[in-house]
Amino acid sequence: MTALLARLAKPSVTNEPPTREELLRTEIAVIVAVLFALFLGIGIRNNAVNNQRTVRLGDGLPSIAVPAGWITGQPEGTLLYARSPRTRSLFNTELTVTTRELTGEATLATVRTGLALQRTQDLLRYRELEARSVTVNGQPGILVTYAYVADPTRDQGAIAPPVVVEAQDLLFTAGNSVVIVTVAADATLWDEESVYAGLIHRSLNVRQVQGGGE
Amino acid sequence: MQASITGGDELSRIERVAHNRSGLWVAIVITIIGLLVFTGIFNFVIPGLGDNLSGTPLILLGMVLSLVPAAIWLFFFYRLDRLDPEPKQMVVRIFLMGALVAAALRDPLINGVFDVRAWQYNTWWGHLFGGILIVGVIEQFLIYATVRYVIFEHPEFDERVDGVIYAVAAGLGLATVLNFQYVIRSNGVDLDIGSVRMVINALGYASFAGVMGYFIGQTRFEKTPIYYMPGGLALAAVLNGLFWFLIDRTIGGGLRPNPWGDLIFAAIVAALTLALAFWLIERANEETLRVAHQKIREAIGMTPAPVPATVAPAAVATGASAAALGQESPAAPAATTSDAPAPAQSDNDGAESGTESGPTATPKENAE
C-alpha cells in the first residue's frame, strides 16, 4: 500500500516534465483505454438487454421469456402481465399474454378478426399497420402490428399529453386455445424497445414465413 | 551563464509546480458546509418557496437554483485560496466549457449511442458495470478532454494542484448541466428535495473530477508511465459508477428514497476523495522538492570545487545546495567564507557543474 501510494504520488524518479511525444503517447493511451472500456460496456449492455427470466404460462402452454428487470403480475383475465419500470416515456413498455378458447368452428384467422374488431372498440384511434404469417414453435401464427393512442396519466389526474403507442399481437394456437402475446411501447421509442419484443419472440421460436404478409 | 539561468529557471519551475496551498483544505470544508447550509435553507428556513409557482416560473427558479451549488463551490474556493488563486476568468471558462461539452456530448453518447436508460436498471450488475464502463468512463473522459484541450498547455496551469482545481470546475459544469436537465425534464422541481439532489450532483462530480484532476496535474508536470493517466481515468470512472450505484440502490432495493442519507454520503465521499487528492499532492510536492535538492547535491558532488582542507566536502555541498535554493544553511557561511567560490555565486561553476542554481531561485519555506 505504501509503495502504491508512493508510486501514485511520484510516478517518476526525476522532476523532468514530459516531452510532447510522451504527452501524445499518454493521450493515445487514454483514448485506447476509453474505447476498451466502452467495448466492455457494449458487452454488458448486450447481456443486460438479453437478460431474461422464463415464466411458465400454464399446462399445455409454452414458457415465455420476460426481460429480467420487468415487473410482472397476473391481473384478472390475463395469463401474464409484465411492465418495464424504466421506459423513457409516460407509457411503460408492456407485455400482456391472454388466451381465447377455440370453440365451434373458430380458427386462428377468425380469432384474429374478432380481436381486431375488439381493438377498434377498446382502443382510441386504433390502426392496423401490418399483419404477417409466422410460425411459433413450428405451429402457424399471425403477427399483427398496430398503433393507437393511449392516455396513461389520465387515471392519475395528471395533465400530460396522450401517447401514440405501437404494439404487436402475436397469435398462435396451443392445444384448444389461441394464445395472444401483446407487446406495446411508445411509438417514438419502438425501435429501441423492440429489442424486448425480439427477446420475447425468440423465446417462442417465432419465425417469419416467406411471403407471409397479408 | 545561460546554463546557470536555465538551471535557476528550472528550480523556480519545480518550486512553482510543487507549491502547496494550505488554504485549499479549509476551502473544501467550508464549501461542503456551505452546500449543506444551502440545502438547509430550502428545506427548513423557506420550505414553501416555489409552492405557488408552476410552469415557466418554476422552471426558471429551478434553473437559477441549479447554478447555486457550483457558484458556492467556486466562490469559496476562490475566496479561501485568495493568497494565490487561479485567475477567475480561467476557472469560469473551464466551468462553462465543461458545461458546454457535457451538454453537447453526454446525453447523445450515454442515452443515444448506448441507450443506457433502457437497460442499465434491469439488473444490479448492468447498473454497476454499465455505470462504470459507460456512464463513468464517458463522463470522466469529457472532464479530462475539457481540461486537456482548454487549459492543459496554458501558462496559468503551472502547479500540480491546478489539475484538481480546473478539473473540479469542469466537473461542476457537468453537474450543473445535469441539474438543468433534471429541472427541465421534471417541468420544475420541488425546491426543497430538488436542492438536495442538486447538491448531491455537485458534490459527486466535483469529487470524481478532483481525483481525475490529480492525475492530470501529475501528467502535466511529471514523466508518467503509460498506464498512469488511463489508470486515473479508470479510478475516477469506478468511483463515479460506484457512487451512483450506491445512491440509486437505496431506491432500487425497494427502500424508501432517503435524500438526506444520500446527501450525507455524498458530503463524506467528497470530503474524503478531495482530502486524499490534496494529501497526495502534498506528498508529491515534497517528493519533487526532495528529488530537486538531491539532484543539486549529486551534481555538486560530481564536480567538487577546490575545497580548503578546513572545510569538509559535504559541508560545501550542503551549503551550496541551500545557497542554490536561496536558503540559509549552517554550512553555507563556511562555504562562502572559504577561498573557493560557492557554485551558486559563480555563473561559471553553475554552468560547468550543471547545477540548478541561479539568480531566479526563490526562497521556499518548505524546502529541505
Side-chain angles (χ1 to χ4, degrees), chain A residues 7-10 12-13 15-18 20 22 25-27 45 47-48 51 69 86 88 192 196, chain B residues 13 114-115 117-119 121-123 148-149 153 214 218-220 222-224 227-229 284 288 292:
Chain A
R7 189 80 173 140
L8 213 58
K10 187 68 183 166
S12 165
V13 292
N15 281 337
E16 288 174 42
R20 285 222 157 266
E22 285 163 339
R25 187 198 63 178
T26 297
E27 228 169 323
R45 174 190 185 277
N47 275 309
N51 192 39
R86 302 281 181 183
R88 202 156 37 91
E192 57 193 74
Y196 299 117
Chain B
R13 183 192 73 80
F114 293 98
D115 192 22
R117 252 190 302 229
W119 56 268
Y121 299 97
N122 285 358
T123 57
R148 177 67 185 85
Y149 298 111
E153 303 199 8
Y214 170 78
Q218 289 282 53
T219 306
R220 171 75 175 79
E222 293 264 344
K223 287 183 183 296
T224 53
Y227 58 81
Y228 195 80
M229 190 63 236
T288 298

Side-chain angles (χ1 to χ4, degrees), chain B residues 15 22 48 58 81 96 105 129 154 175 184-185 190 202 207 246 249 257 267 280 297 317 327 337 339:
Chain B
E15 288 185 336
S22 55
L58 188 62
D81 194 26
L96 290 176
L105 295 175
F129 294 113
H154 195 280
I184 292 167
R185 203 170 44 234
D190 286 339
S207 49
L246 291 173
R249 278 284 137 171
L280 280 171
R297 281 195 293 270
Q327 271 189 307
T337 52
D339 295 337

Side-chain angles (χ1 to χ4, degrees), chain A residues 2 5-20 22-27 29-31 33-38 40-49 51 67-70 84-88 192-193 196, chain B residues 10 13-14 111 113-115 117-119 121-123 125-126 129-130 133-134 137-138 141 144 148-149 152-153 160 214-215 218-230 233 252 279-280 283-284 287-289 291-292 295:
Chain A
T2 311
L5 285 176
R7 189 80 173 140
L8 213 58
K10 187 68 183 166
S12 165
V13 292
T14 71
N15 281 337
E16 288 174 42
T19 60
R20 285 222 157 266
E22 285 163 339
L23 282 176
L24 181 66
R25 187 198 63 178
T26 297
E27 228 169 323
V30 167
I31 290 168
V34 166
L35 291 177
F36 181 65
L38 294 178
L40 292 179
I42 290 171
I44 296 288
R45 174 190 185 277
N46 291 342
N47 275 309
V49 166
N51 192 39
W70 286 25
S84 166
R86 302 281 181 183
T87 311
R88 202 156 37 91
E192 57 193 74
E193 296 292 304
Y196 299 117
Chain B
E10 174 62 8
R13 183 192 73 80
I14 288 171
N111 291 318
V113 176
F114 293 98
D115 192 22
R117 252 190 302 229
W119 56 268
Y121 299 97
N122 285 358
T123 57
W125 48 265
F129 294 113
L133 292 169
I134 293 182
V137 165
I138 287 176
F141 180 71
Y144 166 80
R148 177 67 185 85
Y149 298 111
F152 192 78
E153 303 199 8
R160 191 176 265 124
Y214 170 78
F215 287 90
Q218 289 282 53
T219 306
R220 171 75 175 79
F221 299 108
E222 293 264 344
K223 287 183 183 296
T224 53
I226 195 163
Y227 58 81
Y228 195 80
M229 190 63 236
L233 193 143
W279 179 75
L280 280 171
R283 277 198 61 168
E287 272 298 294
T288 298
L289 292 172
V291 169
K295 200 175 161 190

Side-chain angles (χ1 to χ4, degrees), chain B residues 249-312:
Chain B
R249 278 284 137 171
T250 57
I251 302 167
L255 302 172
R256 286 171 63 83
N258 180 6
W260 294 105
D262 293 345
L263 180 66
I264 291 166
F265 173 65
I268 291 170
V269 167
L272 287 179
T273 47
L274 287 173
L276 180 67
F278 286 129
W279 179 75
L280 280 171
I281 284 173
E282 286 190 357
R283 277 198 61 168
N285 289 344
E286 286 164 13
E287 272 298 294
T288 298
L289 292 172
R290 190 186 64 75
V291 169
H293 297 161
Q294 191 179 18
K295 200 175 161 190
I296 291 168
R297 281 195 293 270
E298 282 172 6
I300 293 165
M302 279 191 293
T303 54
V307 179
T310 53
V311 181

